[in-house]
Coordinates of all heavy atoms in Angstrom, one line a residue:
Chain M
L462 N -21.1 18.5 3.2 CA -20.9 19.7 4.0 C -22.0 20.7 3.9 O -22.3 21.5 4.9 CB -19.6 20.4 3.5 CG -18.3 19.6 3.8 CD1 -17.1 20.4 3.3 CD2 -18.2 19.3 5.3
C463 N -22.7 20.7 2.8 CA -23.9 21.6 2.6 C -24.9 21.4 3.7 O -25.7 22.3 4.0 CB -24.5 21.5 1.3 SG -23.5 22.2 0.0
M464 N -24.9 20.3 4.3 CA -25.9 20.0 5.4 C -25.4 20.5 6.7 O -26.0 20.3 7.8 CB -26.2 18.5 5.5 CG -27.1 18.0 4.4 SD -28.8 18.7 4.5 CE -29.5 17.7 5.8
K465 N -24.2 21.1 6.7 CA -23.5 21.6 7.9 C -23.5 20.5 9.0 O -24.0 20.7 10.1 CB -24.2 22.9 8.5 CG -24.5 23.9 7.4 CD -23.5 25.0 7.5 CE -23.6 26.0 6.3 NZ -24.8 26.9 6.4
P466 N -22.9 19.4 8.6 CA -22.9 18.3 9.6 C -21.9 18.5 10.8 O -21.0 19.3 10.6 CB -22.4 17.1 8.8 CG -21.5 17.7 7.7 CD -22.1 19.1 7.4
K467 N -22.2 17.9 11.9 CA -21.3 18.0 13.0 C -20.3 16.9 13.0 O -19.2 17.1 13.6 CB -22.2 17.8 14.3 CG -23.2 19.0 14.4 CD -23.9 18.8 15.8 CE -24.9 20.0 15.9 NZ -26.1 19.6 16.6
I468 N -20.6 15.8 12.3 CA -19.6 14.7 12.2 C -19.5 14.3 10.8 O -20.5 14.3 10.1 CB -20.1 13.5 13.1 CG1 -20.3 13.9 14.5 CG2 -19.2 12.3 12.9 CD1 -21.2 13.0 15.3
M469 N -18.3 13.9 10.3 CA -18.2 13.4 9.0 C -17.7 11.9 9.0 O -16.7 11.7 9.7 CB -17.3 14.2 8.1 CG -17.8 15.5 7.7 SD -19.1 15.4 6.4 CE -18.1 14.8 5.0
L470 N -18.3 11.1 8.3 CA -17.8 9.7 8.2 C -17.3 9.5 6.8 O -17.9 9.9 5.8 CB -19.0 8.7 8.4 CG -19.8 8.9 9.6 CD1 -21.0 7.9 9.7 CD2 -19.0 8.7 10.9
F471 N -16.1 8.8 6.7 CA -15.6 8.5 5.3 C -15.3 7.0 5.3 O -14.6 6.5 6.1 CB -14.2 9.3 5.2 CG -14.3 10.8 5.1 CD1 -14.3 11.5 6.3 CD2 -14.4 11.4 3.9 CE1 -14.4 12.9 6.2 CE2 -14.5 12.8 3.8 CZ -14.5 13.5 5.0
D472 N -15.9 6.4 4.2 CA -15.6 5.0 4.1 C -14.8 4.8 2.8 O -15.2 4.8 1.7 CB -16.9 4.2 3.9 CG -16.7 2.7 4.0 OD1 -15.5 2.3 4.1 OD2 -17.7 1.9 3.8
E473 N -13.5 4.7 3.0 CA -12.5 4.5 2.0 C -12.7 5.5 0.8 O -13.0 5.1 -0.3 CB -12.6 3.0 1.4 CG -12.3 2.0 2.6 CD -11.9 0.7 2.0 OE1 -11.3 0.6 1.0 OE2 -12.1 -0.3 2.8
P474 N -12.6 6.8 1.1 CA -13.0 7.8 0.1 C -12.0 7.8 -1.0 O -12.4 8.3 -2.1 CB -12.9 9.1 0.9 CG -12.0 8.8 2.0 CD -12.2 7.4 2.4
T475 N -10.8 7.2 -0.9 CA -9.8 7.3 -1.9 C -9.5 6.0 -2.6 O -8.7 6.0 -3.5 CB -8.5 7.9 -1.4 OG1 -8.1 7.1 -0.3 CG2 -8.7 9.3 -0.9
S476 N -10.2 5.0 -2.2 CA -9.8 3.6 -2.7 C -10.2 3.4 -4.2 O -9.6 2.5 -4.8 CB -10.5 2.5 -1.9 OG -10.2 2.7 -0.6
A477 N -11.1 4.2 -4.7 CA -11.5 4.0 -6.1 C -10.8 5.0 -7.0 O -11.2 5.2 -8.2 CB -13.0 4.1 -6.3
L478 N -9.7 5.6 -6.5 CA -9.1 6.8 -7.2 C -7.7 6.5 -7.7 O -7.0 5.7 -7.0 CB -9.2 8.0 -6.4 CG -10.6 8.5 -6.0 CD1 -10.4 9.7 -5.1 CD2 -11.4 8.8 -7.2
D479 N -7.3 7.2 -8.7 CA -5.9 7.2 -9.1 C -5.1 8.0 -8.2 O -5.6 9.0 -7.6 CB -5.7 7.7 -10.6 CG -6.4 6.8 -11.6 OD1 -6.6 5.6 -11.2 OD2 -6.8 7.3 -12.6
P480 N -3.7 7.8 -8.1 CA -2.9 8.5 -7.2 C -3.0 10.1 -7.2 O -3.1 10.7 -6.2 CB -1.5 8.1 -7.5 CG -1.6 6.7 -8.1 CD -3.0 6.7 -8.8
E481 N -3.1 10.7 -8.4 CA -3.1 12.1 -8.4 C -4.4 12.6 -7.7 O -4.5 13.6 -7.1 CB -3.1 12.8 -9.8 CG -2.2 12.2 -10.8 CD -2.9 11.1 -11.6 OE1 -3.0 10.0 -11.1 OE2 -3.4 11.4 -12.6
M482 N -5.5 11.8 -8.0 CA -6.8 12.2 -7.5 C -6.9 12.0 -6.0 O -7.5 12.7 -5.3 CB -7.9 11.4 -8.2 CG -7.9 11.6 -9.7 SD -9.2 10.6 -10.4 CE -8.9 10.9 -12.1
I483 N -6.2 10.9 -5.5 CA -6.1 10.7 -4.1 C -5.7 11.9 -3.4 O -6.2 12.3 -2.4 CB -5.2 9.5 -3.8 CG1 -5.8 8.2 -4.3 CG2 -5.0 9.4 -2.3 CD1 -5.0 7.0 -4.1
K484 N -4.6 12.5 -4.0 CA -4.0 13.7 -3.3 C -5.1 14.8 -3.2 O -5.2 15.4 -2.1 CB -2.8 14.1 -4.1 CG -2.0 15.2 -3.3 CD -0.7 15.4 -4.0 CE 0.0 16.7 -3.5 NZ -0.9 17.8 -3.2
E485 N -5.8 15.1 -4.3 CA -6.7 16.2 -4.2 C -7.8 16.0 -3.1 O -8.3 16.9 -2.4 CB -7.3 16.6 -5.6 CG -7.8 15.4 -6.3 CD -8.2 15.8 -7.8 OE1 -7.3 16.2 -8.5 OE2 -9.4 15.6 -8.1
V486 N -8.3 14.7 -3.0 CA -9.3 14.4 -2.1 C -8.7 14.5 -0.6 O -9.4 15.0 0.3 CB -9.9 13.0 -2.3 CG1 -10.8 12.6 -1.2 CG2 -10.7 13.0 -3.7
L487 N -7.5 13.9 -0.5 CA -6.9 14.0 0.9 C -6.7 15.5 1.3 O -6.9 15.8 2.4 CB -5.6 13.3 0.9 CG -5.6 11.8 0.9 CD1 -4.3 11.2 1.0 CD2 -6.5 11.3 2.0
D488 N -6.3 16.3 0.3 CA -6.1 17.7 0.7 C -7.4 18.3 1.2 O -7.4 19.0 2.2 CB -5.7 18.5 -0.6 CG -4.2 18.5 -0.8 OD1 -3.5 18.2 0.2 OD2 -3.7 18.8 -1.9
T489 N -8.5 18.0 0.5 CA -9.8 18.5 1.0 C -10.1 18.0 2.4 O -10.6 18.7 3.2 CB -10.9 18.0 0.0 OG1 -10.6 18.4 -1.3 CG2 -12.3 18.6 0.4
M490 N -9.8 16.7 2.6 CA -10.1 16.1 4.0 C -9.2 16.8 5.0 O -9.7 17.0 6.2 CB -9.9 14.6 4.0 CG -10.9 13.9 3.1 SD -10.5 12.2 2.8 CE -10.6 11.5 4.5
I491 N -8.0 17.1 4.7 CA -7.1 17.8 5.6 C -7.6 19.2 6.0 O -7.7 19.5 7.2 CB -5.7 17.9 5.0 CG1 -5.1 16.5 4.9 CG2 -4.8 18.8 5.9 CD1 -3.8 16.5 4.1
E492 N -8.1 19.9 5.0 CA -8.7 21.2 5.2 C -9.8 21.1 6.2 O -10.0 21.9 7.1 CB -9.1 21.8 3.9 CG -8.0 22.6 3.2 CD -8.5 23.2 1.9 OE1 -9.7 23.6 1.9 OE2 -7.8 23.1 0.9
L493 N -10.6 20.1 6.0 CA -11.8 19.9 6.8 C -11.3 19.6 8.3 O -11.9 20.2 9.2 CB -12.5 18.6 6.3 CG -14.0 18.6 6.5 CD1 -14.6 19.8 5.9 CD2 -14.6 17.3 5.9
A494 N -10.3 18.8 8.4 CA -9.7 18.5 9.8 C -9.2 19.8 10.4 O -9.4 20.0 11.6 CB -8.6 17.5 9.7
E495 N -8.5 20.6 9.6 CA -8.0 21.9 10.1 C -9.0 22.8 10.6 O -8.7 23.7 11.4 CB -7.2 22.6 9.0 CG -5.8 21.9 8.7 CD -5.1 22.5 7.5 OE1 -5.8 23.1 6.6 OE2 -3.9 22.4 7.4
E496 N -10.3 22.6 10.1 CA -11.3 23.5 10.7 C -12.0 22.9 11.9 O -13.0 23.5 12.4 CB -12.4 23.7 9.6 CG -11.8 24.7 8.6 CD -12.7 24.7 7.3 OE1 -13.8 24.3 7.3 OE2 -12.1 25.2 6.3
G497 N -11.5 21.8 12.3 CA -12.0 21.2 13.6 C -13.2 20.3 13.5 O -13.9 20.0 14.4
M498 N -13.4 19.7 12.3 CA -14.5 18.8 12.1 C -14.2 17.5 12.8 O -13.0 17.0 12.8 CB -14.6 18.5 10.6 CG -15.6 17.5 10.2 SD -17.3 18.0 10.6 CE -17.7 19.1 9.2
T499 N -15.2 16.9 13.4 CA -15.1 15.6 13.9 C -15.2 14.6 12.8 O -16.1 14.6 12.0 CB -16.3 15.3 14.9 OG1 -16.4 16.4 15.8 CG2 -16.1 14.0 15.7
M500 N -14.1 13.7 12.7 CA -14.1 12.9 11.5 C -13.8 11.4 11.9 O -12.9 11.2 12.7 CB -13.0 13.3 10.5 CG -13.2 14.7 9.9 SD -11.8 15.4 9.2 CE -11.6 14.5 7.7
L501 N -14.5 10.5 11.2 CA -14.1 9.1 11.3 C -13.8 8.6 9.9 O -14.7 8.6 9.1 CB -15.3 8.3 11.9 CG -15.3 8.1 13.4 CD1 -16.0 9.3 14.0 CD2 -16.1 6.8 13.8
C502 N -12.6 8.1 9.7 CA -12.2 7.7 8.3 C -11.8 6.3 8.3 O -10.8 5.9 9.0 CB -11.1 8.6 7.8 SG -11.3 10.3 8.1

Side-chain angles (χ1 to χ4, degrees):
Chain M
L462 293 180
C463 284
M464 287 293 281
K465 312 261 171 72
K467 297 183 176 148
I468 301 163
M469 285 288 294
L470 309 175
F471 294 85
D472 190 1
E473 304 200 25
T475 55
S476 301
L478 301 177
D479 296 338
E481 324 89 275
M482 300 178 184
I483 293 181
K484 190 172 168 318
E485 49 187 59
V486 170
L487 285 183
D488 273 343
T489 306
M490 290 169 65
I491 292 169
E492 275 178 37
L493 211 55
E495 285 174 335
E496 284 166 20
M498 176 67 79
T499 310
M500 297 164 72
L501 271 83
C502 313

